[in-house]
Amino acid sequence: MVFWNYHITSLYYCHTRFCAGFIQTLHQSLERLIKYYARAKNICRSTLAQGCFQSMLFNSFTFLLIFLPVTLLIYYKIVAYARRETAILWLVVASLFFYGWWNLAYVLLIVSSILFNYLTGSLLARYKARWILWIGISANLLLLIYFKYTAFIIANIMTLTGTHLEINGIILPLAISFLTFQQIAYLADVYSGDTVEFSFHHYALFVLFFPQLIAGPIVHHREMLPQFTQGNLKFRHHNLAAGFTIFTIGLFKKVIIADNLSGFSDTIFAAAEIGNHLTLIESWTGALAYSFQLYFDFSGYSDMAIGLARMFGIRIPINFNAPYKASNIIDFWRRWHITLSRFLRDYLYIPLGGNRKGKLRRYINLIVTMLLGGLWHGASWSFFIWGGLHAVYLIINHGYRYIFRAFSLSPHAGTGKLLSTSLTFLAVVVAWVFFRAESFSGATEVLRGMSGLNGFVLDNTSHAATIWILISMAIAWVFPTTQDFIRSPEPVADQHNQPAIVWRTSPIWSFLTALMAIIVILNLHAVSEFLYFRF
Amino acid sequence: MKKQPHYKYNQRVFGTLSATFLSISLFVYCIDPYWLFHRKPVWDGHNIVLALKMRFTKSLQVIFRQPRVVIIGSSRVYRGIPTNKLPQYNAYNLGISSLRISEADAYVRHVMRWTPVKVIVLGLDYFMFDHAHQSEPGFDSSVTNFNYLFKAIPSSLLTLMAVKDSLTAMEGEKKSDGHWTWSGFKITKPRPAERMEVVVNTFYNDHKEVTDQELNKLENIIRQTRLKGIELKLFISPLNQRMINRMKKMGVYEEFERWKAMISEVARSNNVKILDFSKNNPFFIDHTEHGSSTHWIDPSHYSPKTGLWILTQTGFLVAHKNQNN
């Protein structure tokens, strides 16, 4: 009995001690949890209050190490369970998260815009009323004008009238220019009966899909929506292989080439803005450095967008096709920002009359299209001038094409092609000066230097700048485009060129791809924005 | 079953990437050039990287240390305030070379977001409010952003910068002018006499323009800390007779007094006490003719002994009889 009493007492004692210990541990854990919860709440509250977000860039650790792997993994897990619609929904959520990383409050704006356009599209599909179309287009344009052009309009009114008007800072929502055009195109096509009915989450993904959300391409619903219903979204190794390779090439172009060139162009254009007289070499260095910076920035971004989409088994259109190889300005605009040119042609130039109403009207339509295209890039007179310059170039191009045809001449025979390509490039570089400069005076200062009006001094311009520009020229004019060279298992784009170098799945190519990715990631400590994010 | 070529391709690419970055991050983790992960890293206190990349390093160190007390200021703070003497407070010395008031504002917000800080002590210097210099090279304005950590921590492990800094840290002993401590304070080696005049001559060579923008930054710091319920202690760094004479000689003394009046007014209007140690300190005579003295490393930087006096005045330490000797 004593033994049992002792045993029970011991058990009771141990049990009590164990329980006490357990409770104490639980209490401490709970206290820690409460502390961490309070800290997390504090972090979130201060983050929301201060609005201290930065957009999630493709060339950032947040995107490469966290967002992309997590999104991909979960997407394919869902697809593996044959849940297509859930996978689409997941992509919508991920894309909203991607957008909201910049500013949570503006997610409401973008969702409202999508809802509005989807409902308007549904009404249009049912009633085919022109006034519904106009309301839809006007609402989209008003939103764009308010956020993007209000400050510009007011600044000009103040300059013209000498008055002073107070406006609070209007934050330009990311991607608004691209979203607006995409949705306007959708409404116009619904009205003309060129669409099939789609569910809301398919439409939402068409607008929000994160690879193309922030800086294009301006995808067409015809290109995207059928892929969500009929496309094969299952995981395929070739999609991952090709997609990752294209993405890595794009990242390399942006981080290694474009970012290195930006240092040279920024210095020179900044000097021009403060009125420094630039020498011939300096101004040409700045203009060429910027021309190639923009080329590789945009080309890199386009590759990344295509590569990312491909990793998810989705194809988006090419947006960039070696534009500096163009032999004339018309050809240039078929290679640079292809989807923007397509939109402007189909939804502005052609509705204005295109070339169907005589030569004079054609040129007027061209001018209007290019001026508005210039303004779309930014609320500034320098973008307007840039668009105007390209309008003039296009008119001249159409003009001499007519002359050549009239005399049965070919402008691209023999050395003619080299000359025309060089001339086209020169014209484009001159126009880029206005695109880049922050003011008209800055642009004219650079152009003065380029034309030799500040003297022909051969100064000590950086050898590094010269080397980078030469490398960029070689890549832009000699190397095949990414879509030409990634052709396995089937061509990414509809190209008939046969480049000398073609990507394969051999060990050498896998090593090269890995090497490019390693070089890029090792250089990611200074994160820089994409130039086209600003539009 | 023969594996698809694309499968093998992906295997090779991702395998190479994983192996490479695991190796790099392991190497950098072992060397720990920014002193984030190990209490006693391989280079033992003499690490020139901590001086060269001070803004980057300290922005991460303060998060890893999770202090309850943070002391922010310029090089006067990091050389002069011995936070290693405050283990009971878990204090961190966020003194940064040539810190500007805009940067201080950013770091205060950074610290409030990511640490359980309860007290912030801000050492103010006249040059911090120079309108012409809003920030110094190495300052990353994204330090106030929520995703700064997502950028900075991978950068401290996976980048070429981290690898280079690791190699630099390994050879740092010969080049460093002092010995860093875990709490962010640097024990500076005594300086020779010939250095004293050089230091004096680098100061007050031009007039500083102090505008509302800088004063607003100070006011913002006061408001933000009050909103979060964090105690803020402000002090104007101690100066000595040699530096005051220098100011008078260069004709900036009146501007300095005006600056003190402006920031005192900002503090007073926000019900915050500001301790003026510029002339009200028992070490006004510096005794640096023969090099570093008991209370001054050089005419500009007060020594840790003076720093202890500051900690006493600000309430962190209890005064001892012989502390002012």
mmCIF file of all heavy atoms in Angstrom, chain A residues 39 43 46-47 52 54 61-62 101 237 241 245 488 503 505 510 513 518 521-522, chain B residues 5-7 9-10 12 20-21 66 113-114 144-147 150 154 158 160 228:
data_model
loop_
_atom_site.group_PDB
_atom_site.id
_atom_site.type_symbol
_atom_site.label_atom_id
_atom_site.label_comp_id
_atom_site.label_asym_id
_atom_site.label_seq_id
_atom_site.Cartn_x
_atom_site.Cartn_y
_atom_site.Cartn_z
ATOM 1 N N ARG A 39 4.656 42.708 -33.324
ATOM 2 C CA ARG A 39 5.709 43.295 -34.161
ATOM 3 C C ARG A 39 5.296 43.264 -35.625
ATOM 4 O O ARG A 39 5.488 44.228 -36.347
ATOM 5 C CB ARG A 39 7.003 42.498 -33.981
ATOM 6 C CG ARG A 39 7.690 42.694 -32.668
ATOM 7 C CD ARG A 39 8.668 43.834 -32.718
ATOM 8 N NE ARG A 39 9.520 43.745 -33.878
ATOM 9 C CZ ARG A 39 10.540 42.911 -34.002
ATOM 10 N NH1 ARG A 39 10.851 42.085 -33.029
ATOM 11 N NH2 ARG A 39 11.257 42.905 -35.085
ATOM 12 N N ILE A 43 4.816 46.288 -38.150
ATOM 13 C CA ILE A 43 5.520 46.406 -39.424
ATOM 14 C C ILE A 43 4.516 46.694 -40.537
ATOM 15 O O ILE A 43 4.705 47.595 -41.350
ATOM 16 C CB ILE A 43 6.320 45.119 -39.736
ATOM 17 C CG1 ILE A 43 7.527 45.007 -38.807
ATOM 18 C CG2 ILE A 43 6.786 45.097 -41.187
ATOM 19 C CD1 ILE A 43 8.195 43.650 -38.833
ATOM 20 N N SER A 46 2.961 50.238 -40.181
ATOM 21 C CA SER A 46 3.879 51.311 -40.566
ATOM 22 C C SER A 46 4.127 51.269 -42.056
ATOM 23 O O SER A 46 4.274 52.296 -42.699
ATOM 24 C CB SER A 46 5.189 51.229 -39.792
ATOM 25 O OG SER A 46 5.885 50.067 -40.156
ATOM 26 N N THR A 47 4.132 50.071 -42.624
ATOM 27 C CA THR A 47 4.348 49.941 -44.057
ATOM 28 C C THR A 47 3.197 50.552 -44.833
ATOM 29 O O THR A 47 3.392 51.329 -45.761
ATOM 30 C CB THR A 47 4.482 48.462 -44.440
ATOM 31 O OG1 THR A 47 5.549 47.905 -43.684
ATOM 32 C CG2 THR A 47 4.754 48.311 -45.914
ATOM 33 N N CYS A 52 5.544 52.681 -48.196
ATOM 34 C CA CYS A 52 6.933 52.583 -48.637
ATOM 35 C C CYS A 52 7.187 51.355 -49.497
ATOM 36 O O CYS A 52 8.079 50.597 -49.226
ATOM 37 C CB CYS A 52 7.857 52.549 -47.427
ATOM 38 S SG CYS A 52 7.850 54.075 -46.535
ATOM 39 N N GLN A 54 8.102 49.467 -53.178
ATOM 40 C CA GLN A 54 8.798 49.664 -54.422
ATOM 41 C C GLN A 54 8.250 48.613 -55.356
ATOM 42 O O GLN A 54 7.919 47.522 -54.907
ATOM 43 C CB GLN A 54 10.285 49.389 -54.190
ATOM 44 C CG GLN A 54 11.212 50.378 -54.785
ATOM 45 C CD GLN A 54 12.637 50.100 -54.407
ATOM 46 O OE1 GLN A 54 12.974 49.086 -53.829
ATOM 47 N NE2 GLN A 54 13.505 51.022 -54.732
ATOM 48 N N PHE A 61 15.896 40.312 -56.153
ATOM 49 C CA PHE A 61 15.930 39.061 -55.407
ATOM 50 C C PHE A 61 14.532 38.629 -54.972
ATOM 51 O O PHE A 61 14.222 37.443 -54.946
ATOM 52 C CB PHE A 61 16.834 39.206 -54.180
ATOM 53 C CG PHE A 61 18.296 39.192 -54.510
ATOM 54 C CD1 PHE A 61 19.066 40.320 -54.312
ATOM 55 C CD2 PHE A 61 18.890 38.056 -55.019
ATOM 56 C CE1 PHE A 61 20.420 40.321 -54.626
ATOM 57 C CE2 PHE A 61 20.243 38.051 -55.337
ATOM 58 C CZ PHE A 61 21.010 39.189 -55.137
ATOM 59 N N THR A 62 13.724 39.635 -54.619
ATOM 60 C CA THR A 62 12.360 39.318 -54.184
ATOM 61 C C THR A 62 11.636 38.521 -55.267
ATOM 62 O O THR A 62 10.994 37.518 -54.990
ATOM 63 C CB THR A 62 11.569 40.611 -53.915
ATOM 64 O OG1 THR A 62 12.402 41.533 -53.234
ATOM 65 C CG2 THR A 62 10.324 40.342 -53.112
ATOM 66 N N TRP A 101 2.456 44.865 -54.648
ATOM 67 C CA TRP A 101 3.769 45.027 -53.999
ATOM 68 C C TRP A 101 4.232 46.473 -54.129
ATOM 69 O O TRP A 101 4.960 46.984 -53.295
ATOM 70 C CB TRP A 101 4.781 44.084 -54.661
ATOM 71 C CG TRP A 101 6.085 43.995 -53.926
ATOM 72 C CD1 TRP A 101 7.256 44.624 -54.238
ATOM 73 C CD2 TRP A 101 6.347 43.227 -52.749
ATOM 74 N NE1 TRP A 101 8.226 44.298 -53.321
ATOM 75 C CE2 TRP A 101 7.699 43.430 -52.400
ATOM 76 C CE3 TRP A 101 5.568 42.382 -51.958
ATOM 77 C CZ2 TRP A 101 8.283 42.824 -51.294
ATOM 78 C CZ3 TRP A 101 6.161 41.786 -50.867
ATOM 79 C CH2 TRP A 101 7.501 42.006 -50.544
ATOM 80 N N HIS A 237 8.843 20.164 -69.656
ATOM 81 C CA HIS A 237 10.243 20.537 -69.466
ATOM 82 C C HIS A 237 10.725 21.508 -70.540
ATOM 83 O O HIS A 237 11.552 22.381 -70.253
ATOM 84 C CB HIS A 237 11.129 19.289 -69.419
ATOM 85 C CG HIS A 237 11.108 18.628 -68.081
ATOM 86 N ND1 HIS A 237 11.776 19.171 -67.001
ATOM 87 C CD2 HIS A 237 10.490 17.519 -67.640
ATOM 88 C CE1 HIS A 237 11.571 18.400 -65.942
ATOM 89 N NE2 HIS A 237 10.796 17.385 -66.295
ATOM 90 N N ALA A 241 12.601 24.961 -69.921
ATOM 91 C CA ALA A 241 13.953 25.129 -70.472
ATOM 92 C C ALA A 241 14.019 26.370 -71.369
ATOM 93 O O ALA A 241 14.865 27.248 -71.194
ATOM 94 C CB ALA A 241 14.360 23.885 -71.250
ATOM 95 N N THR A 245 15.672 30.038 -70.330
ATOM 96 C CA THR A 245 16.783 30.533 -71.150
ATOM 97 C C THR A 245 16.474 31.914 -71.715
ATOM 98 O O THR A 245 17.310 32.819 -71.659
ATOM 99 C CB THR A 245 17.087 29.539 -72.289
ATOM 100 O OG1 THR A 245 17.267 28.238 -71.728
ATOM 101 C CG2 THR A 245 18.333 29.944 -73.059
ATOM 102 N N SER A 488 13.796 25.682 -80.293
ATOM 103 C CA SER A 488 13.499 24.308 -79.919
ATOM 104 C C SER A 488 12.404 24.262 -78.871
ATOM 105 O O SER A 488 12.448 25.058 -77.944
ATOM 106 C CB SER A 488 14.762 23.649 -79.379
ATOM 107 O OG SER A 488 14.502 22.362 -78.907
ATOM 108 N N TRP A 503 20.122 27.760 -80.366
ATOM 109 C CA TRP A 503 20.143 27.180 -79.036
ATOM 110 C C TRP A 503 19.818 25.685 -79.083
ATOM 111 O O TRP A 503 18.926 25.262 -79.823
ATOM 112 C CB TRP A 503 19.098 27.895 -78.180
ATOM 113 C CG TRP A 503 18.887 27.353 -76.810
ATOM 114 C CD1 TRP A 503 19.759 27.381 -75.780
ATOM 115 C CD2 TRP A 503 17.719 26.690 -76.329
ATOM 116 N NE1 TRP A 503 19.200 26.794 -74.673
ATOM 117 C CE2 TRP A 503 17.943 26.371 -74.977
ATOM 118 C CE3 TRP A 503 16.479 26.352 -76.904
ATOM 119 C CZ2 TRP A 503 17.013 25.715 -74.193
ATOM 120 C CZ3 TRP A 503 15.555 25.700 -76.117
ATOM 121 C CH2 TRP A 503 15.830 25.381 -74.766
ATOM 122 N N THR A 505 19.856 21.913 -76.401
ATOM 123 C CA THR A 505 19.811 21.463 -74.999
ATOM 124 C C THR A 505 21.073 20.715 -74.610
ATOM 125 O O THR A 505 21.068 19.851 -73.747
ATOM 126 C CB THR A 505 18.588 20.561 -74.775
ATOM 127 O OG1 THR A 505 18.620 19.506 -75.752
ATOM 128 C CG2 THR A 505 17.299 21.331 -74.903
ATOM 129 N N SER A 510 23.679 24.487 -71.678
ATOM 130 C CA SER A 510 23.173 24.557 -70.289
ATOM 131 C C SER A 510 24.196 25.275 -69.414
ATOM 132 O O SER A 510 23.833 26.083 -68.558
ATOM 133 C CB SER A 510 22.831 23.183 -69.731
ATOM 134 O OG SER A 510 23.819 22.244 -70.022
ATOM 135 N N THR A 513 23.952 29.044 -70.239
ATOM 136 C CA THR A 513 22.760 29.643 -69.625
ATOM 137 C C THR A 513 22.986 29.835 -68.129
ATOM 138 O O THR A 513 22.693 30.902 -67.581
ATOM 139 C CB THR A 513 21.522 28.751 -69.850
ATOM 140 O OG1 THR A 513 21.390 28.519 -71.241
ATOM 141 C CG2 THR A 513 20.257 29.393 -69.309
ATOM 142 N N ILE A 518 24.344 33.215 -63.458
ATOM 143 C CA ILE A 518 25.255 33.458 -62.328
ATOM 144 C C ILE A 518 25.810 34.877 -62.400
ATOM 145 O O ILE A 518 25.833 35.610 -61.404
ATOM 146 C CB ILE A 518 26.400 32.421 -62.319
ATOM 147 C CG1 ILE A 518 25.849 31.051 -61.925
ATOM 148 C CG2 ILE A 518 27.533 32.825 -61.381
ATOM 149 C CD1 ILE A 518 26.784 29.896 -62.210
ATOM 150 N N ILE A 521 23.029 37.367 -61.394
ATOM 151 C CA ILE A 521 22.684 37.376 -59.961
ATOM 152 C C ILE A 521 23.833 37.958 -59.131
ATOM 153 O O ILE A 521 23.599 38.701 -58.171
ATOM 154 C CB ILE A 521 22.296 35.962 -59.486
ATOM 155 C CG1 ILE A 521 20.985 35.566 -60.164
ATOM 156 C CG2 ILE A 521 22.146 35.899 -57.973
ATOM 157 C CD1 ILE A 521 20.556 34.138 -59.920
ATOM 158 N N LEU A 522 25.056 37.671 -59.535
ATOM 159 C CA LEU A 522 26.194 38.232 -58.805
ATOM 160 C C LEU A 522 26.228 39.754 -58.896
ATOM 161 O O LEU A 522 26.818 40.423 -58.053
ATOM 162 C CB LEU A 522 27.511 37.676 -59.352
ATOM 163 C CG LEU A 522 27.855 36.230 -58.955
ATOM 164 C CD1 LEU A 522 29.136 35.779 -59.640
ATOM 165 C CD2 LEU A 522 28.025 36.110 -57.447
ATOM 166 N N PRO B 5 15.657 15.369 -73.398
ATOM 167 C CA PRO B 5 16.789 16.301 -73.409
ATOM 168 C C PRO B 5 16.525 17.572 -72.602
ATOM 169 O O PRO B 5 17.422 18.092 -71.958
ATOM 170 C CB PRO B 5 16.996 16.614 -74.890
ATOM 171 C CG PRO B 5 15.776 16.160 -75.578
ATOM 172 C CD PRO B 5 15.171 15.089 -74.774
ATOM 173 N N HIS B 6 15.269 18.058 -72.661
ATOM 174 C CA HIS B 6 14.974 19.286 -71.917
ATOM 175 C C HIS B 6 15.000 19.049 -70.419
ATOM 176 O O HIS B 6 15.371 19.941 -69.662
ATOM 177 C CB HIS B 6 13.620 19.860 -72.343
ATOM 178 C CG HIS B 6 13.613 20.322 -73.761
ATOM 179 N ND1 HIS B 6 13.165 19.552 -74.807
ATOM 180 C CD2 HIS B 6 14.042 21.489 -74.306
ATOM 181 C CE1 HIS B 6 13.306 20.220 -75.932
ATOM 182 N NE2 HIS B 6 13.841 21.382 -75.672
ATOM 183 N N TYR B 7 14.642 17.859 -69.997
ATOM 184 C CA TYR B 7 14.710 17.513 -68.582
ATOM 185 C C TYR B 7 16.166 17.570 -68.123
ATOM 186 O O TYR B 7 16.486 18.157 -67.085
ATOM 187 C CB TYR B 7 14.119 16.119 -68.366
ATOM 188 C CG TYR B 7 14.338 15.586 -66.976
ATOM 189 C CD1 TYR B 7 13.517 15.965 -65.920
ATOM 190 C CD2 TYR B 7 15.385 14.697 -66.707
ATOM 191 C CE1 TYR B 7 13.719 15.493 -64.645
ATOM 192 C CE2 TYR B 7 15.600 14.216 -65.430
ATOM 193 C CZ TYR B 7 14.767 14.619 -64.404
ATOM 194 O OH TYR B 7 14.984 14.143 -63.139
ATOM 195 N N TYR B 9 18.585 19.162 -69.558
ATOM 196 C CA TYR B 9 19.015 20.560 -69.661
ATOM 197 C C TYR B 9 18.654 21.305 -68.383
ATOM 198 O O TYR B 9 19.493 21.984 -67.786
ATOM 199 C CB TYR B 9 18.349 21.200 -70.880
ATOM 200 C CG TYR B 9 18.658 22.674 -71.075
ATOM 201 C CD1 TYR B 9 19.757 23.082 -71.812
ATOM 202 C CD2 TYR B 9 17.825 23.668 -70.545
ATOM 203 C CE1 TYR B 9 20.043 24.425 -72.015
ATOM 204 C CE2 TYR B 9 18.097 25.009 -70.729
ATOM 205 C CZ TYR B 9 19.203 25.377 -71.473
ATOM 206 O OH TYR B 9 19.472 26.721 -71.664
ATOM 207 N N ASN B 10 17.395 21.182 -67.952
ATOM 208 C CA ASN B 10 16.939 21.867 -66.732
ATOM 209 C C ASN B 10 17.726 21.385 -65.517
ATOM 210 O O ASN B 10 18.120 22.183 -64.664
ATOM 211 C CB ASN B 10 15.443 21.616 -66.505
ATOM 212 C CG ASN B 10 14.590 22.355 -67.508
ATOM 213 O OD1 ASN B 10 14.995 23.382 -68.054
ATOM 214 N ND2 ASN B 10 13.409 21.835 -67.778
ATOM 215 N N ARG B 12 20.765 20.239 -65.464
ATOM 216 C CA ARG B 12 22.125 20.785 -65.491
ATOM 217 C C ARG B 12 22.116 22.262 -65.108
ATOM 218 O O ARG B 12 22.947 22.714 -64.328
ATOM 219 C CB ARG B 12 22.746 20.614 -66.878
ATOM 220 C CG ARG B 12 23.244 19.220 -67.170
ATOM 221 C CD ARG B 12 24.085 19.196 -68.429
ATOM 222 N NE ARG B 12 23.252 19.407 -69.616
ATOM 223 C CZ ARG B 12 22.813 18.428 -70.404
ATOM 224 N NH1 ARG B 12 23.106 17.181 -70.142
ATOM 225 N NH2 ARG B 12 22.078 18.702 -71.460
ATOM 226 N N THR B 20 26.502 26.535 -57.344
ATOM 227 C CA THR B 20 27.312 27.765 -57.331
ATOM 228 C C THR B 20 26.887 28.671 -56.186
ATOM 229 O O THR B 20 27.729 29.148 -55.413
ATOM 230 C CB THR B 20 27.169 28.516 -58.664
ATOM 231 O OG1 THR B 20 27.451 27.624 -59.727
ATOM 232 C CG2 THR B 20 28.075 29.723 -58.726
ATOM 233 N N PHE B 21 25.587 28.902 -56.078
ATOM 234 C CA PHE B 21 25.154 29.881 -55.075
ATOM 235 C C PHE B 21 25.199 29.342 -53.660
ATOM 236 O O PHE B 21 25.397 30.102 -52.703
ATOM 237 C CB PHE B 21 23.789 30.477 -55.437
ATOM 238 C CG PHE B 21 23.901 31.460 -56.561
ATOM 239 C CD1 PHE B 21 23.422 31.154 -57.821
ATOM 240 C CD2 PHE B 21 24.543 32.658 -56.370
ATOM 241 C CE1 PHE B 21 23.584 32.042 -58.865
ATOM 242 C CE2 PHE B 21 24.720 33.558 -57.402
ATOM 243 C CZ PHE B 21 24.237 33.255 -58.654
ATOM 244 N N GLN B 66 18.712 43.299 -33.076
ATOM 245 C CA GLN B 66 17.427 43.501 -32.394
ATOM 246 C C GLN B 66 17.583 44.258 -31.060
ATOM 247 O O GLN B 66 17.179 43.775 -29.998
ATOM 248 C CB GLN B 66 16.728 42.164 -32.150
ATOM 249 C CG GLN B 66 16.271 41.468 -33.430
ATOM 250 C CD GLN B 66 15.091 42.180 -34.070
ATOM 251 O OE1 GLN B 66 13.971 42.152 -33.578
ATOM 252 N NE2 GLN B 66 15.323 42.845 -35.209
ATOM 253 N N ARG B 113 10.748 50.105 -37.717
ATOM 254 C CA ARG B 113 9.988 49.066 -38.398
ATOM 255 C C ARG B 113 10.480 47.681 -38.026
ATOM 256 O O ARG B 113 9.686 46.758 -37.856
ATOM 257 C CB ARG B 113 10.081 49.239 -39.913
ATOM 258 C CG ARG B 113 9.455 48.091 -40.691
ATOM 259 C CD ARG B 113 9.599 48.274 -42.172
ATOM 260 N NE ARG B 113 8.475 49.018 -42.692
ATOM 261 C CZ ARG B 113 8.548 49.912 -43.668
ATOM 262 N NH1 ARG B 113 9.678 50.181 -44.238
ATOM 263 N NH2 ARG B 113 7.471 50.538 -44.089
ATOM 264 N N TRP B 114 11.802 47.508 -37.946
ATOM 265 C CA TRP B 114 12.350 46.163 -37.884
ATOM 266 C C TRP B 114 12.908 45.724 -36.537
ATOM 267 O O TRP B 114 13.331 44.569 -36.400
ATOM 268 C CB TRP B 114 13.460 46.003 -38.939
ATOM 269 C CG TRP B 114 12.965 46.097 -40.344
ATOM 270 C CD1 TRP B 114 13.176 47.121 -41.217
ATOM 271 C CD2 TRP B 114 12.142 45.145 -41.037
ATOM 272 N NE1 TRP B 114 12.546 46.863 -42.413
ATOM 273 C CE2 TRP B 114 11.909 45.654 -42.334
ATOM 274 C CE3 TRP B 114 11.586 43.921 -40.703
ATOM 275 C CZ2 TRP B 114 11.145 44.991 -43.286
ATOM 276 C CZ3 TRP B 114 10.824 43.241 -41.650
ATOM 277 C CH2 TRP B 114 10.614 43.778 -42.913
ATOM 278 N N THR B 144 14.015 52.756 -46.382
ATOM 279 C CA THR B 144 12.719 52.970 -45.738
ATOM 280 C C THR B 144 11.642 52.059 -46.311
ATOM 281 O O THR B 144 10.535 52.019 -45.800
ATOM 282 C CB THR B 144 12.263 54.423 -45.932
ATOM 283 O OG1 THR B 144 12.266 54.698 -47.339
ATOM 284 C CG2 THR B 144 13.177 55.394 -45.221
ATOM 285 N N ASN B 145 11.952 51.348 -47.395
ATOM 286 C CA ASN B 145 10.946 50.494 -48.022
ATOM 287 C C ASN B 145 10.826 49.161 -47.317
ATOM 288 O O ASN B 145 11.791 48.642 -46.773
ATOM 289 C CB ASN B 145 11.296 50.227 -49.490
ATOM 290 C CG ASN B 145 11.122 51.456 -50.332
ATOM 291 O OD1 ASN B 145 10.447 52.398 -49.922
ATOM 292 N ND2 ASN B 145 11.730 51.478 -51.483
ATOM 293 N N PHE B 146 9.616 48.629 -47.399
ATOM 294 C CA PHE B 146 9.326 47.353 -46.757
ATOM 295 C C PHE B 146 10.204 46.239 -47.312
ATOM 296 O O PHE B 146 10.650 45.359 -46.600
ATOM 297 C CB PHE B 146 7.850 47.011 -46.989
ATOM 298 C CG PHE B 146 7.479 45.645 -46.516
ATOM 299 C CD1 PHE B 146 7.359 45.365 -45.169
ATOM 300 C CD2 PHE B 146 7.254 44.619 -47.424
ATOM 301 C CE1 PHE B 146 7.014 44.107 -44.723
ATOM 302 C CE2 PHE B 146 6.908 43.362 -46.978
ATOM 303 C CZ PHE B 146 6.779 43.093 -45.639
ATOM 304 N N ASN B 147 10.484 46.282 -48.634
ATOM 305 C CA ASN B 147 11.226 45.172 -49.244
ATOM 306 C C ASN B 147 12.735 45.404 -49.271
ATOM 307 O O ASN B 147 13.454 44.710 -49.975
ATOM 308 C CB ASN B 147 10.693 44.864 -50.650
ATOM 309 C CG ASN B 147 10.872 46.039 -51.581
ATOM 310 O OD1 ASN B 147 11.200 47.129 -51.148
ATOM 311 N ND2 ASN B 147 10.654 45.831 -52.853
ATOM 312 N N PHE B 150 14.539 42.280 -48.357
ATOM 313 C CA PHE B 150 14.541 41.252 -49.396
ATOM 314 C C PHE B 150 15.633 41.507 -50.421
ATOM 315 O O PHE B 150 16.023 40.622 -51.164
ATOM 316 C CB PHE B 150 13.184 41.222 -50.121
ATOM 317 C CG PHE B 150 12.059 40.784 -49.249
ATOM 318 C CD1 PHE B 150 11.214 41.713 -48.679
ATOM 319 C CD2 PHE B 150 11.839 39.450 -48.987
ATOM 320 C CE1 PHE B 150 10.182 41.321 -47.857
ATOM 321 C CE2 PHE B 150 10.799 39.049 -48.170
ATOM 322 C CZ PHE B 150 9.971 39.988 -47.600
ATOM 323 N N PRO B 154 19.848 39.066 -49.348
ATOM 324 C CA PRO B 154 20.466 38.293 -50.431
ATOM 325 C C PRO B 154 21.730 38.960 -50.981
ATOM 326 O O PRO B 154 22.690 38.284 -51.336
ATOM 327 C CB PRO B 154 19.368 38.224 -51.504
ATOM 328 C CG PRO B 154 18.104 38.455 -50.781
ATOM 329 C CD PRO B 154 18.429 39.374 -49.675
ATOM 330 N N LEU B 158 24.855 36.671 -51.686
ATOM 331 C CA LEU B 158 24.895 36.041 -53.008
ATOM 332 C C LEU B 158 25.576 36.855 -54.094
ATOM 333 O O LEU B 158 25.630 36.417 -55.228
ATOM 334 C CB LEU B 158 23.457 35.752 -53.475
ATOM 335 C CG LEU B 158 22.665 34.741 -52.663
ATOM 336 C CD1 LEU B 158 21.232 34.678 -53.166
ATOM 337 C CD2 LEU B 158 23.300 33.358 -52.755
ATOM 338 N N LEU B 160 28.489 39.505 -56.049
ATOM 339 C CA LEU B 160 29.926 39.710 -56.248
ATOM 340 C C LEU B 160 30.460 40.663 -55.197
ATOM 341 O O LEU B 160 31.586 40.521 -54.704
ATOM 342 C CB LEU B 160 30.129 40.297 -57.640
ATOM 343 C CG LEU B 160 31.541 40.216 -58.218
ATOM 344 C CD1 LEU B 160 31.993 38.787 -58.313
ATOM 345 C CD2 LEU B 160 31.547 40.858 -59.620
ATOM 346 N N LYS B 228 4.971 56.103 -32.301
ATOM 347 C CA LYS B 228 5.230 54.692 -31.982
ATOM 348 C C LYS B 228 5.458 54.459 -30.497
ATOM 349 O O LYS B 228 5.707 53.338 -30.092
ATOM 350 C CB LYS B 228 6.500 54.209 -32.711
ATOM 351 C CG LYS B 228 6.436 54.295 -34.192
ATOM 352 C CD LYS B 228 5.635 53.163 -34.757
ATOM 353 C CE LYS B 228 5.629 53.295 -36.252
ATOM 354 N NZ LYS B 228 4.485 52.909 -36.926
#
